[in-house]
Amino acid sequence: QVQLVESGGGLVQAGDSLRLSCVASGQTFRRYTVGWFRQAPGKEREFVAAHKWNDNSKHYADSVKGRFTISRDNAKNTVYLQMNALIPDDTAVYYCGAGQRLISSSLASHNAYDYWGQGTQVTVSS
């Protein structure tokens, strides 16, 4: 069982930066793939970024490539999402998810993740 808690959201202006954190419980968290997703009002949850534990690869949605960076600190059981050059379209609730048996082709599917946090709100004003 893994419990996830996101933090770091807030209200910022376009062009600003934020760093989201996802802190996990559980001693085996380092063996979990972690993904960040977001959901705007009236829209489906969409993939943002993921880090695969087994090959240390990082994957990004086209809409955030070059602006967002996912990283993890296994000693702290924490995964980060550094978000730079924020735009109003980035406004959403951001969630982190974790799973153990994800393959590359399933990273963008929220159904592939076993555990989820409660989310943190990010609002970007123009």
Side-chain angles (χ1 to χ4, degrees), residues 2-6 22-23 35-36 45 93-98 114-120:
V2 174
Q3 292 183 327
L4 305 172
V5 179
E6 303 97 333
C22 173
V23 180
W36 284 98
R45 190 169 297 192
V93 178
Y94 283 70
Y95 300 89
C96 66
D114 301 313
Y115 304 102
W116 290 96
Q118 83 290 346
T120 185

Side-chain angles (χ1 to χ4, degrees), residues 1 6 8-9 20 23 25-30 32 34 36 41 49-51 62 81 84 93 101 103 113 117 121:
Q1 190 80 3
E6 303 97 333
L20 305 184
V23 180
S25 65
Q27 296 179 345
T28 61
F29 179 65
R30 65 183 183 279
Y32 280 78
V34 176
W36 284 98
H51 177 272
D62 288 342
L81 185 68
N84 298 329
V93 178
R101 285 176 283 274
I103 57 177
Y113 293 77
Q121 175 71 46

Side-chain angles (χ1 to χ4, degrees), residues 14-90:
D16 285 351
S17 298
L18 278 176
R19 188 177 78 161
L20 305 184
S21 298
C22 173
V23 180
S25 65
Q27 296 179 345
T28 61
F29 179 65
R30 65 183 183 279
R31 295 185 181 273
Y32 280 78
T33 289
V34 176
W36 284 98
F37 286 71
R38 65 188 182 187
Q39 189 166 17
K43 295 186 177 181
E44 293 189 356
R45 190 169 297 192
E46 67 170 356
F47 171 75
V48 175
H51 177 272
K52 290 181 64 184
W53 72 272
N54 54 338
D55 61 8
N56 202 33
S57 61
K58 300 178 182 181
H59 306 261
Y60 298 95
D62 288 342
S63 59
V64 306
K65 279 181 182 176
R67 299 189 298 123
F68 291 12
T69 302
I70 188 170
S71 62
R72 73 192 295 164
D73 184 339
N74 287 328
K76 296 182 178 180
N77 270 11
T78 302
V79 175
Y80 303 100
L81 185 68
Q82 177 67 43
M83 307 187 296
N84 298 329
L86 285 161
I87 61 177
D89 281 351
D90 294 322

